[in-house]
Coordinates of all heavy atoms in Angstrom, one line a residue:
M7 N -4.9 -1.9 11.7 CA -5.3 -1.9 10.2 C -6.0 -0.6 10.0 O -7.0 -0.2 10.7 CB -6.2 -3.1 9.9 CG -6.6 -3.2 8.5 SD -7.4 -4.7 8.1 CE -8.9 -4.6 8.8
Q8 N -5.6 0.1 8.9 CA -6.2 1.4 8.6 C -6.3 1.5 7.0 O -5.2 1.4 6.4 CB -5.5 2.6 9.2 CG -6.0 3.9 8.8 CD -5.2 5.0 9.5 OE1 -4.2 4.8 10.0 NE2 -5.8 6.2 9.4
M9 N -7.4 1.9 6.5 CA -7.6 2.1 5.1 C -7.0 3.5 4.8 O -7.3 4.5 5.3 CB -9.0 2.1 4.7 CG -9.2 2.5 3.2 SD -8.8 1.3 2.0 CE -10.1 0.1 2.3
L10 N -6.0 3.5 3.9 CA -5.3 4.7 3.6 C -5.7 5.3 2.3 O -5.7 6.6 2.1 CB -3.7 4.5 3.5 CG -3.1 4.0 4.8 CD1 -1.6 3.8 4.5 CD2 -3.3 5.0 5.9
Y11 N -6.1 4.5 1.4 CA -6.5 4.9 0.0 C -7.4 3.9 -0.6 O -7.2 2.7 -0.5 CB -5.2 5.1 -0.8 CG -5.4 5.6 -2.2 CD1 -5.7 6.9 -2.5 CD2 -5.4 4.8 -3.3 CE1 -5.9 7.5 -3.7 CE2 -5.6 5.3 -4.6 CZ -5.8 6.7 -4.8 OH -6.0 7.1 -6.0
N12 N -8.4 4.5 -1.3 CA -9.4 3.7 -2.0 C -9.8 4.4 -3.2 O -10.5 5.4 -3.1 CB -10.5 3.3 -1.0 CG -11.4 2.2 -1.6 OD1 -11.0 1.5 -2.5 ND2 -12.6 2.1 -1.1
S13 N -9.6 3.8 -4.4 CA -10.0 4.4 -5.6 C -10.7 3.3 -6.4 O -10.8 2.2 -5.9 CB -8.8 5.0 -6.5 OG -8.0 4.0 -6.9
D14 N -11.1 3.6 -7.6 CA -11.7 2.6 -8.6 C -10.7 1.5 -8.9 O -11.0 0.4 -9.2 CB -12.2 3.1 -9.8 CG -13.5 4.1 -9.5 OD1 -14.1 3.9 -8.5 OD2 -13.8 5.0 -10.4
S15 N -9.4 1.9 -8.8 CA -8.3 1.0 -9.2 C -7.6 0.3 -8.2 O -7.2 -0.9 -8.3 CB -7.3 1.7 -10.1 OG -7.9 2.4 -11.2
F16 N -7.4 1.0 -7.1 CA -6.5 0.4 -6.0 C -7.2 0.6 -4.6 O -7.8 1.7 -4.4 CB -5.1 1.0 -6.0 CG -4.4 0.8 -7.3 CD1 -4.3 1.7 -8.3 CD2 -3.8 -0.4 -7.5 CE1 -3.6 1.5 -9.4 CE2 -3.1 -0.7 -8.6 CZ -3.0 0.3 -9.7
A17 N -6.7 -0.2 -3.6 CA -7.0 0.0 -2.2 C -5.7 -0.2 -1.5 O -4.8 -1.1 -1.8 CB -8.0 -0.9 -1.7
V18 N -5.3 0.7 -0.6 CA -4.1 0.5 0.3 C -4.5 0.5 1.7 O -5.2 1.4 2.2 CB -3.1 1.7 0.0 CG1 -1.8 1.5 0.8 CG2 -2.8 1.7 -1.6
V19 N -4.0 -0.6 2.4 CA -4.3 -0.7 3.8 C -3.0 -0.8 4.6 O -2.0 -1.4 4.2 CB -5.2 -1.9 4.1 CG1 -5.4 -2.1 5.7 CG2 -6.5 -1.9 3.4
S20 N -2.9 0.0 5.7 CA -1.7 0.0 6.5 C -1.9 -0.9 7.7 O -3.0 -0.9 8.4 CB -1.5 1.4 7.0 OG -0.5 1.4 8.0
F21 N -0.9 -1.7 8.0 CA -0.9 -2.6 9.2 C 0.3 -2.1 10.1 O 1.4 -2.3 9.6 CB -0.7 -4.0 8.8 CG -1.9 -4.6 8.0 CD1 -2.0 -4.5 6.6 CD2 -2.9 -5.3 8.7 CE1 -3.1 -5.0 5.9 CE2 -3.9 -5.8 8.1 CZ -4.1 -5.7 6.6
D22 N 0.0 -1.6 11.2 CA 1.0 -1.2 12.1 C 1.0 -2.1 13.3 O 0.1 -2.3 14.0 CB 0.7 0.2 12.6 CG 0.8 1.3 11.6 OD1 1.6 1.1 10.7 OD2 0.0 2.2 11.7
V23 N 2.2 -2.9 13.4 CA 2.4 -3.8 14.5 C 3.6 -3.4 15.2 O 4.8 -3.6 14.8 CB 2.5 -5.2 13.9 CG1 2.7 -6.3 15.1 CG2 1.4 -5.6 13.0
P24 N 3.4 -2.8 16.4 CA 4.7 -2.3 17.2 C 5.4 -3.6 17.7 O 4.8 -4.7 17.9 CB 4.1 -1.5 18.3 CG 2.6 -1.9 18.4 CD 2.2 -2.5 17.1
D25 N 6.6 -3.3 18.0 CA 7.5 -4.5 18.6 C 7.0 -4.8 20.0 O 6.1 -4.1 20.6 CB 8.9 -4.1 18.6 CG 9.3 -3.0 19.4 OD1 8.5 -2.5 20.3 OD2 10.4 -2.4 19.3
A26 N 7.5 -5.8 20.6 CA 7.1 -6.3 21.9 C 7.2 -5.2 23.0 O 6.4 -5.2 24.0 CB 8.0 -7.5 22.3
Q27 N 8.1 -4.2 22.9 CA 8.3 -3.2 23.9 C 7.4 -2.0 23.6 O 7.4 -1.0 24.3 CB 9.7 -2.7 24.0 CG 10.6 -3.7 24.6 CD 11.1 -4.8 23.6 OE1 11.2 -4.6 22.4 NE2 11.3 -6.0 24.1
G28 N 6.6 -2.0 22.4 CA 5.8 -0.9 22.1 C 6.5 0.2 21.5 O 6.0 1.3 21.3
E29 N 7.8 -0.1 21.0 CA 8.6 1.0 20.3 C 8.6 0.8 18.9 O 8.4 -0.4 18.4 CB 10.0 0.9 20.9 CG 10.1 1.2 22.3 CD 11.5 0.9 22.8 OE1 12.4 0.6 22.0 OE2 11.7 0.9 24.1
G30 N 8.6 1.8 18.1 CA 8.7 1.7 16.7 C 7.4 1.4 16.0 O 6.8 0.3 16.2
P31 N 6.8 2.3 15.3 CA 5.4 2.2 14.8 C 5.3 1.2 13.6 O 4.1 0.8 13.4 CB 5.1 3.6 14.4 CG 6.4 4.3 14.0 CD 7.4 3.6 15.1
L32 N 6.3 0.9 12.9 CA 6.1 0.0 11.8 C 7.2 -1.1 11.8 O 7.7 -1.5 10.8 CB 6.2 0.8 10.5 CG 5.6 0.2 9.2 CD1 4.2 -0.1 9.4 CD2 5.8 1.2 8.1
N33 N 7.4 -1.6 13.0 CA 8.5 -2.6 13.1 C 8.2 -3.9 12.3 O 9.0 -4.4 11.6 CB 8.7 -2.9 14.6 CG 9.9 -3.9 14.8 OD1 10.9 -3.8 14.1 ND2 9.8 -4.7 15.8
R34 N 6.9 -4.4 12.5 CA 6.6 -5.6 11.8 C 5.4 -5.4 10.9 O 4.8 -6.3 10.4 CB 6.3 -6.8 12.8 CG 7.4 -7.2 13.6 CD 7.1 -8.5 14.5 NE 5.7 -8.7 14.5 CZ 5.1 -9.0 15.6 NH1 5.6 -9.0 16.8 NH2 3.8 -9.3 15.6
G35 N 5.0 -4.2 10.7 CA 3.8 -3.9 9.9 C 4.2 -3.6 8.4 O 5.3 -4.0 8.0
G36 N 3.3 -3.2 7.7 CA 3.5 -2.9 6.3 C 2.2 -2.4 5.6 O 1.3 -2.0 6.3
Y37 N 2.2 -2.6 4.2 CA 1.1 -2.1 3.5 C 0.6 -3.2 2.5 O 1.4 -3.9 2.0 CB 1.5 -0.9 2.7 CG 2.0 0.2 3.5 CD1 3.4 0.4 3.7 CD2 1.1 1.1 4.0 CE1 3.8 1.5 4.4 CE2 1.6 2.2 4.8 CZ 2.9 2.3 5.0 OH 3.4 3.4 5.7
E38 N -0.7 -3.4 2.5 CA -1.3 -4.3 1.6 C -1.9 -3.4 0.5 O -2.7 -2.4 0.7 CB -2.5 -5.1 2.2 CG -3.1 -6.0 1.2 CD -4.3 -6.8 1.8 OE1 -5.0 -6.3 2.7 OE2 -4.5 -7.9 1.4
I39 N -1.5 -3.7 -0.7 CA -2.0 -3.0 -1.9 C -2.8 -4.0 -2.8 O -2.3 -5.1 -3.2 CB -0.8 -2.4 -2.8 CG1 0.1 -1.5 -1.9 CG2 -1.3 -1.8 -4.0 CD1 1.4 -1.1 -2.5
V40 N -4.1 -3.6 -3.1 CA -4.9 -4.4 -3.8 C -5.2 -3.8 -5.2 O -5.6 -2.6 -5.3 CB -6.3 -4.6 -3.1 CG1 -7.2 -5.4 -4.0 CG2 -6.1 -5.3 -1.8
D41 N -4.9 -4.5 -6.3 CA -5.2 -4.0 -7.6 C -6.5 -4.6 -8.0 O -6.6 -5.8 -8.3 CB -4.1 -4.5 -8.6 CG -4.3 -4.0 -10.0 OD1 -5.4 -3.7 -10.4 OD2 -3.3 -3.8 -10.8
K42 N -7.5 -3.7 -8.0 CA -8.9 -4.1 -8.3 C -9.1 -4.7 -9.6 O -9.9 -5.7 -9.8 CB -9.9 -3.0 -7.9 CG -9.8 -2.6 -6.4 CD -10.8 -1.5 -6.2 CE -10.7 -0.9 -4.8 NZ -11.7 0.2 -4.5
F43 N -8.5 -4.1 -10.6 CA -8.7 -4.6 -12.0 C -7.9 -5.9 -12.3 O -8.5 -6.8 -12.9 CB -8.3 -3.5 -13.0 CG -9.2 -2.3 -13.0 CD1 -8.7 -1.0 -12.7 CD2 -10.6 -2.5 -13.2 CE1 -9.6 0.0 -12.6 CE2 -11.5 -1.4 -13.2 CZ -11.0 -0.1 -12.9
A44 N -6.7 -6.0 -11.8 CA -5.9 -7.2 -12.0 C -6.4 -8.3 -11.0 O -6.0 -9.4 -11.3 CB -4.5 -7.0 -11.9
R45 N -7.1 -7.9 -10.0 CA -7.6 -8.9 -8.9 C -6.4 -9.6 -8.4 O -6.3 -10.8 -8.2 CB -8.6 -9.9 -9.5 CG -9.8 -9.2 -10.0 CD -10.9 -10.1 -10.5 NE -11.2 -11.1 -9.4 CZ -12.4 -11.4 -9.0 NH1 -13.4 -10.8 -9.5 NH2 -12.5 -12.2 -8.0
K46 N -5.4 -8.7 -8.0 CA -4.1 -9.2 -7.3 C -3.8 -8.3 -6.1 O -4.3 -7.2 -6.1 CB -3.0 -9.3 -8.2 CG -3.1 -10.3 -9.3 CD -1.8 -10.4 -10.1 CE -1.9 -11.4 -11.2 NZ -0.7 -11.6 -12.0
E47 N -3.1 -8.9 -5.2 CA -2.7 -8.1 -4.0 C -1.2 -8.4 -3.7 O -0.6 -9.4 -4.1 CB -3.5 -8.5 -2.8 CG -3.4 -9.9 -2.4 CD -4.3 -10.3 -1.2 OE1 -4.6 -9.4 -0.4 OE2 -4.6 -11.4 -1.0
I48 N -0.6 -7.5 -3.0 CA 0.7 -7.7 -2.5 C 0.8 -7.0 -1.1 O 0.1 -5.9 -0.8 CB 1.8 -7.0 -3.4 CG1 3.2 -7.3 -3.0 CG2 1.5 -5.5 -3.6 CD1 4.2 -6.9 -4.0
F49 N 1.6 -7.6 -0.2 CA 1.9 -7.1 1.1 C 3.3 -6.7 1.1 O 4.3 -7.5 0.8 CB 1.6 -8.1 2.2 CG 1.9 -7.5 3.6 CD1 0.9 -6.7 4.2 CD2 3.0 -7.8 4.3 CE1 1.1 -6.1 5.4 CE2 3.2 -7.3 5.6 CZ 2.2 -6.4 6.1
I50 N 3.7 -5.4 1.4 CA 5.0 -4.9 1.4 C 5.4 -4.5 2.8 O 4.5 -4.1 3.5 CB 5.3 -3.8 0.4 CG1 4.4 -2.6 0.7 CG2 5.1 -4.3 -1.1 CD1 4.7 -1.4 -0.2
Q51 N 6.6 -4.8 3.1 CA 7.1 -4.5 4.5 C 8.6 -4.2 4.4 O 9.2 -4.3 3.4 CB 6.9 -5.7 5.5 CG 7.5 -7.0 5.0 CD 7.1 -8.1 5.9 OE1 6.3 -8.0 6.9 NE2 7.7 -9.3 5.6
G52 N 9.1 -3.7 5.5 CA 10.6 -3.4 5.6 C 11.0 -2.3 4.7 O 10.2 -1.2 4.6
A53 N 12.1 -2.4 4.0 CA 12.7 -1.3 3.2 C 11.7 -0.8 2.1 O 11.6 0.3 1.8 CB 14.0 -1.7 2.7
L54 N 11.0 -1.9 1.5 CA 10.1 -1.6 0.3 C 8.9 -0.8 0.9 O 8.4 0.2 0.3 CB 9.6 -2.8 -0.3 CG 8.8 -2.6 -1.6 CD1 9.5 -1.8 -2.6 CD2 8.4 -4.0 -2.1
A55 N 8.4 -1.1 2.2 CA 7.3 -0.3 2.7 C 7.7 1.1 3.1 O 7.0 2.0 2.9 CB 6.8 -1.1 4.0
E56 N 8.9 1.2 3.5 CA 9.5 2.5 3.9 C 9.6 3.4 2.6 O 9.3 4.6 2.6 CB 10.8 2.4 4.6 CG 11.3 3.8 5.2 CD 10.3 4.4 6.2 OE1 9.7 3.7 7.0 OE2 10.3 5.6 6.2
S57 N 10.1 2.8 1.5 CA 10.2 3.5 0.3 C 8.8 4.0 -0.2 O 8.7 5.1 -0.7 CB 10.9 2.6 -0.7 OG 10.8 3.2 -2.0
F58 N 7.8 3.1 -0.1 CA 6.5 3.3 -0.5 C 5.9 4.6 0.4 O 5.4 5.5 -0.2 CB 5.6 2.2 -0.3 CG 4.1 2.4 -0.6 CD1 3.7 2.4 -1.9 CD2 3.2 2.6 0.5 CE1 2.4 2.6 -2.2 CE2 1.8 2.8 0.1 CZ 1.4 2.8 -1.2
K59 N 6.1 4.5 1.7 CA 5.7 5.6 2.6 C 6.3 6.9 2.2 O 5.6 7.9 2.2 CB 6.0 5.1 4.0 CG 5.7 6.2 5.1 CD 6.1 5.8 6.4 CE 5.8 6.8 7.5 NZ 6.4 6.3 8.8
Q60 N 7.6 6.9 2.0 CA 8.3 8.2 1.7 C 7.8 8.7 0.3 O 7.6 9.9 0.1 CB 9.8 8.0 1.7 CG 10.4 7.8 3.1 CD 11.8 7.4 3.0 OE1 12.5 7.3 2.0 NE2 12.4 7.2 4.2
G61 N 7.6 7.8 -0.7 CA 7.1 8.2 -2.0 C 5.7 8.9 -1.9 O 5.4 9.8 -2.5
V62 N 4.9 8.2 -1.1 CA 3.5 8.8 -0.9 C 3.5 10.1 -0.3 O 2.8 11.1 -0.6 CB 2.6 7.8 -0.1 CG1 1.3 8.4 0.3 CG2 2.3 6.5 -1.0
Q63 N 4.4 10.2 0.8 CA 4.5 11.5 1.5 C 5.0 12.6 0.6 O 4.4 13.8 0.6 CB 5.4 11.4 2.7 CG 4.7 10.6 3.9 CD 5.7 10.3 5.0 OE1 7.0 10.3 4.8 NE2 5.1 10.0 6.2
A64 N 6.0 12.3 -0.2 CA 6.5 13.4 -1.2 C 5.4 13.7 -2.3 O 5.3 14.9 -2.6 CB 7.7 12.8 -1.9
L65 N 4.7 12.7 -2.7 CA 3.6 12.9 -3.6 C 2.5 13.8 -3.1 O 1.9 14.7 -3.7 CB 3.0 11.6 -4.2 CG 2.1 11.6 -5.3 CD1 2.7 12.3 -6.6 CD2 1.6 10.2 -5.7
I66 N 2.1 13.6 -1.8 CA 1.0 14.3 -1.2 C 1.4 15.7 -1.1 O 0.5 16.7 -1.2 CB 0.7 13.7 0.1 CG1 0.0 12.4 0.0 CG2 -0.1 14.7 1.0 CD1 -0.3 11.5 1.2
E67 N 2.6 16.1 -1.0 CA 3.0 17.5 -0.8 C 2.8 18.3 -2.2 O 2.7 19.5 -2.2 CB 4.5 17.5 -0.5 CG 4.8 17.1 0.9 CD 6.3 17.1 1.3 OE1 7.1 17.6 0.5 OE2 6.6 16.7 2.3
T68 N 2.6 17.6 -3.3 CA 2.4 18.2 -4.6 C 0.9 18.4 -4.9 O 0.6 18.9 -5.9 CB 3.0 17.4 -5.7 OG1 2.4 16.2 -5.9 CG2 4.5 17.2 -5.5
G69 N 0.1 17.9 -4.0 CA -1.4 18.0 -4.3 C -1.8 17.1 -5.5 O -2.3 17.6 -6.4
P70 N -1.5 15.8 -5.3 CA -1.8 14.9 -6.5 C -3.3 14.7 -6.9 O -4.1 14.8 -6.0 CB -1.1 13.6 -6.1 CG -1.4 13.6 -4.6 CD -1.1 15.0 -4.2
S71 N -3.5 14.4 -8.1 CA -4.8 13.9 -8.5 C -4.9 12.4 -8.3 O -3.9 11.7 -8.0 CB -5.0 14.2 -10.0 OG -4.1 13.4 -10.8
E72 N -6.1 11.9 -8.4 CA -6.4 10.5 -8.3 C -5.5 9.7 -9.2 O -4.9 8.7 -8.9 CB -7.8 10.1 -8.4 CG -8.1 8.6 -8.1 CD -9.6 8.3 -8.1 OE1 -10.4 9.1 -7.4 OE2 -10.0 7.4 -8.8
E73 N -5.4 10.3 -10.4 CA -4.6 9.5 -11.5 C -3.1 9.6 -11.1 O -2.4 8.5 -11.4 CB -4.7 10.3 -12.9 CG -6.1 10.1 -13.5 CD -7.1 11.1 -12.9 OE1 -6.8 12.1 -12.3 OE2 -8.4 10.7 -12.9
D74 N -2.6 10.6 -10.5 CA -1.2 10.6 -10.0 C -1.0 9.6 -8.9 O 0.0 8.9 -9.0 CB -0.9 12.0 -9.4 CG -0.9 13.1 -10.5 OD1 -0.7 12.8 -11.7 OD2 -1.1 14.2 -10.2
M75 N -1.9 9.5 -8.0 CA -1.8 8.5 -6.9 C -1.9 7.1 -7.5 O -1.0 6.2 -7.1 CB -2.9 8.7 -5.9 CG -2.8 9.9 -5.0 SD -1.3 9.9 -3.9 CE -1.7 8.5 -2.8
D76 N -2.8 6.8 -8.4 CA -2.9 5.5 -8.9 C -1.7 5.1 -9.8 O -1.2 4.0 -9.7 CB -4.2 5.4 -9.9 CG -5.5 5.3 -9.1 OD1 -5.5 5.1 -7.9 OD2 -6.5 5.3 -9.8
S77 N -1.1 6.1 -10.4 CA 0.1 5.8 -11.2 C 1.3 5.5 -10.3 O 2.0 4.5 -10.6 CB 0.5 7.1 -12.1 OG 1.6 6.8 -12.8
F78 N 1.4 6.1 -9.1 CA 2.5 5.8 -8.2 C 2.3 4.4 -7.7 O 3.1 3.6 -7.5 CB 2.5 6.9 -7.1 CG 3.5 6.5 -6.1 CD1 4.8 6.8 -6.2 CD2 3.1 6.0 -4.8 CE1 5.8 6.4 -5.3 CE2 4.0 5.7 -3.9 CZ 5.4 5.8 -4.0
I79 N 1.0 4.1 -7.1 CA 0.7 2.8 -6.5 C 0.9 1.7 -7.5 O 1.3 0.7 -7.1 CB -0.7 2.9 -5.9 CG1 -0.8 3.9 -4.8 CG2 -1.2 1.6 -5.5 CD1 -2.2 4.2 -4.3
E80 N 0.6 2.0 -8.7 CA 0.7 0.9 -9.8 C 2.1 0.4 -9.9 O 2.3 -0.8 -10.2 CB 0.3 1.4 -11.1 CG 0.2 0.5 -12.3 CD -0.3 1.0 -13.6 OE1 -0.3 2.2 -13.7 OE2 -0.8 0.2 -14.4
R81 N 3.1 1.2 -9.6 CA 4.6 0.8 -9.6 C 4.8 -0.3 -8.7 O 5.5 -1.3 -8.9 CB 5.4 1.9 -9.4 CG 5.4 3.0 -10.6 CD 6.4 4.0 -10.4 NE 6.4 4.7 -9.1 CZ 7.2 5.7 -8.8 NH1 8.2 6.1 -9.6 NH2 7.0 6.3 -7.7
F82 N 4.1 -0.3 -7.5 CA 4.3 -1.3 -6.5 C 3.4 -2.4 -6.7 O 3.7 -3.6 -6.5 CB 4.1 -0.6 -5.1 CG 5.1 0.2 -4.6 CD1 5.1 1.6 -5.0 CD2 6.2 -0.2 -3.9 CE1 6.1 2.5 -4.7 CE2 7.2 0.7 -3.5 CZ 7.2 2.1 -3.9
A83 N 2.1 -2.2 -7.2 CA 1.1 -3.2 -7.4 C 1.5 -4.1 -8.5 O 1.2 -5.3 -8.6 CB -0.2 -2.5 -7.8
S84 N 2.4 -3.6 -9.4 CA 2.9 -4.4 -10.6 C 3.7 -5.6 -10.1 O 4.0 -6.6 -10.8 CB 3.6 -3.6 -11.6 OG 4.8 -3.1 -11.0
L85 N 4.3 -5.5 -8.8 CA 5.0 -6.6 -8.3 C 4.2 -7.8 -7.7 O 4.7 -8.8 -7.4 CB 5.9 -6.1 -7.1 CG 6.9 -4.9 -7.5 CD1 7.5 -4.4 -6.2 CD2 8.0 -5.4 -8.4
S86 N 2.9 -7.5 -7.7 CA 2.0 -8.6 -7.0 C 1.9 -9.8 -7.8 O 1.7 -9.7 -9.1 CB 0.7 -8.0 -6.7 OG 0.0 -7.7 -7.9
Q87 N 1.9 -10.9 -7.2 CA 1.7 -12.2 -7.8 C 0.6 -13.0 -7.2 O 0.1 -14.0 -7.7 CB 3.0 -13.0 -7.6 CG 4.2 -12.5 -8.3 CD 4.2 -12.3 -9.7 OE1 3.7 -13.3 -10.4 NE2 4.6 -11.2 -10.3
Q88 N 0.1 -12.5 -6.0 CA -0.9 -13.2 -5.3 C -2.2 -12.8 -5.8 O -2.7 -11.7 -5.8 CB -0.8 -12.7 -3.7 CG -1.7 -13.5 -2.8 CD -1.4 -14.9 -2.7 OE1 -0.3 -15.4 -2.8 NE2 -2.5 -15.6 -2.4
P89 N -3.0 -13.8 -6.2 CA -4.4 -13.5 -6.7 C -5.3 -13.1 -5.5 O -5.1 -13.6 -4.4 CB -4.9 -14.8 -7.3 CG -4.0 -15.9 -6.7 CD -2.7 -15.2 -6.4
L90 N -6.2 -12.2 -5.7 CA -7.1 -11.7 -4.7 C -8.1 -12.8 -4.4 O -8.8 -13.4 -5.3 CB -7.8 -10.4 -5.2 CG -8.7 -9.8 -4.2 CD1 -7.9 -9.3 -3.0 CD2 -9.4 -8.6 -4.9
V91 N -8.2 -13.1 -3.1 CA -9.1 -14.1 -2.6 C -10.1 -13.5 -1.6 O -9.5 -12.9 -0.6 CB -8.3 -15.3 -2.0 CG1 -9.4 -16.4 -1.5 CG2 -7.4 -15.9 -3.0
L92 N -11.3 -13.6 -1.8 CA -12.3 -13.1 -0.8 C -12.7 -14.2 0.1 O -13.0 -15.4 -0.3 CB -13.5 -12.5 -1.6 CG -13.2 -11.4 -2.5 CD1 -14.5 -11.0 -3.3 CD2 -12.6 -10.2 -1.7
H93 N -12.9 -13.9 1.3 CA -13.2 -14.9 2.4 C -14.7 -14.8 2.7 O -15.3 -13.7 2.8 CB -12.4 -14.8 3.6 CG -11.0 -15.0 3.4 ND1 -10.4 -16.2 3.2 CD2 -10.0 -14.0 3.2 CE1 -9.0 -16.0 3.0 NE2 -8.9 -14.7 3.1

């Protein structure tokens, strides 16, 4: 588990779970996106997680502002249905 991004609006955490043979860095992992204002979260994995990763990498190459990052993350966070629950 690794915190990748944390702003006033969103937090993004990466979960990397290698397969049983230790091959493939994101075989069963994914990303948890927390929308702090909506108080919702979503866990994305598989093709959606790969799309998110590639989009973030492309955005980083442009030197984005926090608003740019939040705008990109919001597209994925808008899919969240799970209310945020604190333990």
Side-chain angles (χ1 to χ4, degrees):
M7 178 171 73
Q8 179 181 9
M9 174 72 73
L10 298 179
Y11 182 75
N12 190 19
S13 71
D14 291 338
S15 304
F16 299 100
V18 179
V19 177
S20 170
F21 292 88
D22 294 328
V23 182
D25 64 13
Q27 290 79 31
E29 300 171 8
L32 198 59
N33 187 36
R34 292 187 351 227
Y37 301 96
E38 180 181 33
I39 301 171
V40 176
D41 184 334
K42 295 177 181 179
F43 291 121
R45 298 182 58 125
K46 291 186 178 181
E47 64 180 333
I48 186 169
F49 182 79
I50 58 174
Q51 58 187 2
L54 188 56
E56 188 61 32
S57 174
F58 178 79
K59 178 182 172 184
Q60 290 174 1
V62 168
Q63 288 173 338
L65 187 59
I66 287 174
E67 291 177 6
T68 69
S71 66
E72 185 174 310
E73 291 80 21
D74 295 333
M75 288 297 291
D76 283 354
S77 180
F78 176 78
I79 293 168
E80 185 175 24
R81 295 188 300 180
F82 290 87
S84 66
L85 302 171
S86 65
Q87 300 294 319
Q88 183 68 29
L90 184 60
V91 178
L92 300 175
H93 302 279

